[in-house]
Amino acid sequence: IYVTHDQVEAMTMGDRVAVMRKGELQQVAPPQELYDHPVNLFVGGFIGSPAMNLVEATLRRANGGLTAELGSQRIGLGDETLSVRPALEAFEGRSVILGIRPEDLEDAALDSDNPADRRLRGKVELREALGSEIMVHFTVDAPPALTEDVRELAQDAGDERVAQQEEGARETTMVGRFGARSQVKQGDAADVVVDTRALHFFDPDTGLGIYEDETPTKGDR
């Protein structure tokens, strides 16, 4: 048993990783399962660097399928997404917290084959060139998720994005890991492709991840 506050250490060294919060066990699972299927909002926001982008969304029925409505924008949820998260059907017309990892966002100029309903539009606020990739901070006209879990995660990580956002805000600052060839600059309009196969959904009332018809409880994994 090895105890660490460094998630990179835990994920690379551990065969099974236990995530604790204030002395309470949240989830025990292999590292990849923690990343792909976090049991709740806290685990989802804790695992990954940069942290998962979290916004408020409403699930709506459109063109025979479900869409996630974020402010004035909509992301179509394909069959592959719904097949692994059938419980989403029960949330039609309801609010959810939508999680998008930075690595599942790409400059649309580098990935032009995706349909329009798999994209977000925003404004570039900051560009950080890291050689092999570019971290792009951009705002979208969607309300941020500002639950107790989100605020605690942001405080622990020193994430100023959440601290700068207030209740009732209509814009969210998101981070995307773009390919090194991206030409976006600060102040540009950003057209961003979303990998909908890797989206995460959480119940805003319980904080639990939305997967199968029977949502797991803390510690089940």
Side-chain angles (χ1 to χ4, degrees), residues 109-181:
L110 303 180
D111 191 3
S112 58
D113 293 335
N114 282 275
D117 69 348
R118 301 293 195 276
R119 301 186 181 193
L120 288 174
R121 290 162 300 282
K123 179 182 177 182
V124 177
E125 303 293 340
L126 178 66
R127 168 193 168 109
E128 299 176 285
L130 302 177
S132 61
E133 61 186 3
I134 300 171
M135 294 292 183
V136 178
H137 300 238
F138 62 98
T139 55
V140 294
D141 64 335
L146 295 176
T147 68
E148 180 183 347
D149 291 339
V150 174
R151 292 190 182 280
E152 181 179 332
L153 287 163
Q155 182 177 1
D156 291 345
D159 189 342
E160 295 183 357
R161 287 182 294 162
V162 173
Q164 294 168 355
Q165 293 168 338
E166 300 177 353
E167 295 289 347
R170 304 306 303 171
E171 284 191 342
T172 300
T173 301
M174 306 182 75
V175 178
R177 272 183 147 156
F178 290 5
R181 296 188 303 278

Side-chain angles (χ1 to χ4, degrees), residues 73-92:
Q73 305 187 61
R74 290 186 177 185
I75 300 175
L77 307 181
D79 292 338
E80 186 172 351
T81 301
L82 297 176
S83 66
V84 296
R85 293 175 171 81
L88 285 174
E89 296 283 355
F91 281 78
E92 180 182 343

Side-chain angles (χ1 to χ4, degrees), residues 169-214:
R170 304 306 303 171
E171 284 191 342
T172 300
T173 301
M174 306 182 75
V175 178
R177 272 183 147 156
F178 290 5
R181 296 188 303 278
S182 173
Q183 298 298 310
V184 298
K185 300 183 297 295
Q186 185 172 343
D188 283 354
D191 193 11
V192 182
V193 170
V194 181
D195 185 348
T196 58
R197 299 169 299 178
L199 295 176
H200 297 266
F201 301 86
F202 303 94
D203 185 328
D205 295 327
T206 66
L208 294 174
I210 303 170
Y211 297 104
E212 295 79 18
D213 292 332
E214 293 186 3

Side-chain angles (χ1 to χ4, degrees), residues 51-71:
M52 182 185 289
N53 299 293
L54 297 165
V55 297
E56 291 184 8
T58 303
L59 298 185
R60 307 280 190 194
R61 182 70 59 178
N63 300 320
L66 280 181
T67 64
E69 186 178 281
L70 296 75

